[in-house]
Amino acid sequence: MPANLPKDPWSRSDSTQPVVMAIPAQRNANLDAIRGLAVLGIFFMNIYFMGITFFGYAPHETPPLSDHIIKVFSNFFIEARFISLFSILFGVGLFIQYQRFSAKGLEAYPLLRSRLKWLMVFGLLHGIIIWPGDILLTYGISGFLALCYKDLSIEALKRKANIFILSALVIITLISLTGSDEPFTRESSLFAEQYSAWTSGYADQLFLHLMQVGYMALVIPFTIMWFTAGLMLLGMALYQQGTFERGFSKPQLLKLVLASVTVSLLDTGLDFTNNPILVTFSDVLIMLSAIPMALIYIHIMVKICQNNPNRLTPLQNVGKLAFSLYILQSIVGVLVFRHFAPELLLSLDRWGYMAMALVYSVVQLLLASLYLRYFKQGPLEKLWRHLAFKKYAASQEHKQAAKH
């Protein structure tokens, strides 16, 4: 393998220096730690969908108090927050990779195009074979869109991000309003049907996977692609202005806190009305309120980590294995809720899901630290890099052979 093979932003060194400055070779500890927090946090939301993937958590007709408490907590700190955080980070990774490839005199766009194509392949395989709640396909599609605007100024990137995000939310709202009002509670006939379908044989589950992935492939270009690409553009802008190195100023942080609290209060209030139309608006507002909270998480992690590899090391380790751990979360969740113990779908309330997510987060922290004692790169990170850059590696080897 040639020594100058392009590096992998999921697990290789990153930089927080402004674009006009030289790109340092060392890892960026802040980005690793933030990525680690994101991948752990995603499981706290996805765990509800590991069983009945299309509908997720089925509440009781009269939910226990603990469900209400955890629901409110999730609305403020979990729901959509970590997916938004990951989308922002993905934009940062794309931008860093483009700058690094260009600085080395390489054709950056073809290399990144190959990475995104293979990510889409991984996403399709993940969605069809393992778990149809996949986000990788969306990242691949949105990445192509975000790359078209990588050369814009910081302010232009922010404006474009706002347009994409708000446009997507409007479209998502309109689509959501056309949905079914049939109740999905633990005692409903719909839940019984869904439980039977999603805990049936694997062949039957594959059909459901194909149906859901096919549906998502149709709607992504009109909805979530724009929202995710907007977050990626926001990540590019924040990276260039030094946010991942310094965090936000106090006035900026105060505005983010006020925005997060205000919109979270609004979406929580609408959610508790039990009015189908207002609940639909609540679901969209959660996506909006997630953005300032994700930025607050970035600020907190930057201030704590301070780009020091010896701070938040367990989280950094998880961040280095983000791709592999994300897929492993799906494998573990699906095996538990559909194959080993499907009866949990009948008995677990929200606190039970949260307890399981906490325990598995500890497992991931320990597993990542243990794995990186013996290996430098995650298995899927390594495979992705090999597949994406194998043509480049072959051409480099051919050129070297021709010289001799």
Side-chain angles (χ1 to χ4, degrees):
M1 192 71 68
N4 58 343
L5 184 67
K7 295 183 178 180
D8 190 335
W10 284 80
S11 60
R12 295 317 230 195
S13 61
D14 294 318
S15 166
T16 53
Q17 295 298 326
V19 187
V20 296
M21 299 179 67
I23 302 175
Q26 72 273 11
R27 294 196 66 92
N28 186 297
N30 289 342
L31 289 178
D32 278 337
I34 297 168
R35 191 179 294 114
L37 176 68
V39 76
L40 291 182
I42 281 175
F43 190 64
F44 280 82
M45 184 188 74
N46 285 348
I47 190 172
Y48 293 118
F49 295 85
M50 293 299 180
I52 301 174
T53 303
F54 191 78
F55 287 92
Y57 180 71
H60 295 280
E61 289 184 1
T62 305
L65 178 60
S66 60
D67 265 22
H68 291 306
I69 294 173
I70 293 175
K71 178 65 175 176
V72 172
F73 177 83
S74 296
N75 284 354
F76 277 81
F77 300 105
I78 296 177
E79 291 294 329
R81 274 63 178 158
F82 297 104
I83 288 181
S84 295
L85 184 56
F86 229 134
S87 300
I88 292 169
L89 288 172
F90 196 89
V92 174
L94 281 178
F95 189 83
I96 291 172
Q97 283 280 290
Y98 193 91
Q99 292 298 314
R100 180 173 290 115
F101 292 162
S102 299
K104 292 181 177 180
L106 304 175
E107 296 184 16
Y109 185 76
L111 290 169
L112 289 177
R113 183 175 59 194
S114 179
R115 285 184 58 79
L116 293 172
K117 284 181 177 179
W118 277 107
L119 186 65
M120 292 168 64
V121 171
F122 278 116
L124 286 171
L125 292 175
H126 175 223
I128 295 172
I129 298 174
I130 303 173
W131 183 60
D134 170 77
I135 194 63
L136 302 179
L137 177 62
T138 300
Y139 283 172
I141 296 173
S142 300
F144 276 106
L145 178 60
L147 278 177
C148 296
Y149 302 96
K150 65 188 181 306
D151 295 323
L152 295 179
S153 67
I154 293 175
E155 292 306 315
L157 281 170
K158 291 180 179 179
R159 287 195 297 271
K160 187 68 67 173
N162 289 336
I163 292 172
F164 282 2
I165 290 169
L166 293 177
S167 299
L169 290 177
V170 170
I171 297 172
I172 291 171
T173 301
L174 294 175
I175 293 176
S176 298
L177 289 173
T178 64
S180 172
D181 294 337
E182 186 175 357
F184 183 68
T185 62
R186 203 73 60 92
E187 296 81 13
S188 66
S189 59
L190 179 59
F191 172 77
E193 294 170 2
Q194 290 293 312
Y195 175 81
S196 176
W198 287 99
T199 58
S200 58
Y202 182 64
D204 295 328
Q205 292 182 26
L206 277 179
F207 178 75
L208 293 173
H209 291 184
L210 283 168
M211 292 289 289
Q212 189 162 338
V213 171
Y215 171 78
M216 289 304 300
L218 288 175
V219 302
I220 284 173
F222 304 101
T223 55
I224 199 67
M225 177 187 76
W226 300 93
F227 184 80
T228 305
L231 292 174
M232 292 179 182
L233 295 180
L234 177 60
M236 294 180 184
L238 294 176
Y239 171 77
Q240 292 185 74
Q241 72 180 29
T243 299
F244 291 90
E245 183 179 306
R246 299 184 299 270
F248 295 98
S249 66
K250 289 184 178 180
Q252 290 173 327
L253 186 61
L254 179 59
K255 290 179 181 179
L256 291 174
V257 171
L258 289 174
S260 178
V261 171
T262 301
V263 183
S264 295
L265 283 172
L266 180 58
D267 72 55
T268 300
L270 293 178
D271 187 38
F272 278 101
T273 63
N274 293 322
N275 181 297
I277 295 178
L278 295 181
V279 170
T280 295
F281 282 108
S282 168
D283 292 338
V284 175
L285 284 174
I286 282 178
M287 298 175 67
L288 183 60
S289 66
I291 300 173
M293 192 67 236
L295 298 181
I296 292 170
Y297 284 147
I298 290 172
H299 177 84
I300 292 172
M301 298 304 290
V302 167
K303 292 301 183 182
I304 294 175
C305 189
Q306 296 185 8
N307 208 13
N308 187 337
N310 297 317
R311 291 190 177 186
L312 300 178
T313 304
L315 269 183
Q316 291 185 48
N317 290 337
V318 170
K320 295 170 186 176
L321 303 177
F323 187 13
S324 296
L325 289 176
Y326 170 70
I327 299 298
L328 185 60
Q329 288 176 358
S330 299
I331 294 172
V332 171
V334 167
L335 286 176
V336 169
F337 290 107
R338 294 197 204 158
H339 300 282
F340 295 158
E343 64 276 5
L344 290 173
L345 297 174
L346 303 173
S347 59
L348 280 184
D349 292 329
R350 287 187 180 275
W351 71 266
Y353 282 98
M354 290 296 97
M356 292 181 69
L358 279 170
V359 170
Y360 190 59
S361 294
V362 175
V363 171
Q364 290 177 92
L365 289 165
L366 296 174
L367 180 61
S369 297
L370 178 63
Y371 181 90
L372 290 174
R373 287 185 183 180
Y374 303 98
F375 304 97
K376 294 182 178 180
Q377 192 174 27
L380 289 183
E381 284 82 358
K382 185 175 183 179
L383 177 61
W384 184 23
R385 179 171 178 251
H386 169 73
L387 292 172
F389 300 141
K390 62 182 179 180
K391 289 185 178 180
Y392 170 81
S395 66
Q396 290 296 98
E397 289 174 353
H398 179 74
K399 289 180 181 179
Q400 291 177 5
K403 290 180 181 178
H404 297 289

